[in-house]
Amino acid sequence: QVQVVESGGGLVQPGGSLRLSCAVSGFTLDHHAIGWFRQAPGKEREGVSCISSSDGSTFYVDSLKGRFTISRDNANKNTVYLQMNSLKPEDTAVYYCATDMVEIKRLCLLPTVYDYWGQGTQVTVSS
């Protein structure tokens, strides 16, 4: 049974930082990706960043490059982090982690390629 569990959300002031964690278990297929997505109230879920299990290739939505960084635990490649810096109020959203087999790596920012999702963690950026 595949499990995806996010943690690390919370309330942060504008300009602050947060690190989210995603722990994936039970997924045994090769060539999978782990992705971060977010969904603000009234908006569609959007891709934030993703990482390939095979070679650690990373992908970002253009608008967040330079502020957000995805990484994985060296000892356990199924534990992935999202470091978020210089947070803005518009970053407020529920952040989700997802995993699935993604053979074409550059598609890993698309929510539709994932079947396994976590419950999400709320990130609120406010003074």
Side-chain angles (χ1 to χ4, degrees), residues 1-78:
Q1 182 179 359
V2 179
Q3 288 190 318
V4 182
V5 180
E6 308 97 336
S7 61
L11 173 64
V12 63
Q13 292 187 342
S17 298
L18 275 178
R19 189 177 82 156
L20 305 182
S21 299
C22 173
V24 174
S25 60
F27 198 92
T28 58
L29 296 178
D30 292 334
H31 304 293
H32 68 278
I34 298 176
W36 283 103
F37 300 83
R38 67 184 185 182
Q39 188 165 18
K43 295 188 177 181
E44 292 187 355
R45 191 169 298 188
E46 63 172 347
V48 172
S49 182
C50 51
I51 186 166
S52 168
S53 68
S54 58
D55 63 2
S57 301
T58 58
F59 301 84
Y60 296 89
V61 65
D62 287 344
S63 60
L64 296 176
K65 284 181 180 177
R67 292 199 298 124
F68 288 17
T69 303
I70 193 170
S71 62
R72 62 184 181 182
D73 188 279
N74 288 331
N76 180 0
K77 295 179 181 180
N78 281 335

Side-chain angles (χ1 to χ4, degrees), residues 68-113:
F68 288 17
T69 303
I70 193 170
S71 62
R72 62 184 181 182
D73 188 279
N74 288 331
N76 180 0
K77 295 179 181 180
N78 281 335
T79 297
V80 170
Y81 307 103
L82 184 69
Q83 178 68 41
M84 306 184 295
N85 297 328
S86 301
L87 283 163
K88 305 174 182 180
E90 51 263 43
D91 294 319
T92 295
V94 178
Y95 284 71
Y96 296 91
C97 184
T99 191
D100 212 326
M101 188 172 69
V102 181
E103 294 188 2
I104 303 177
K105 298 173 188 177
R106 59 182 171 84
L107 299 183
C108 70
L109 282 172
L110 297 177
T112 52
V113 304

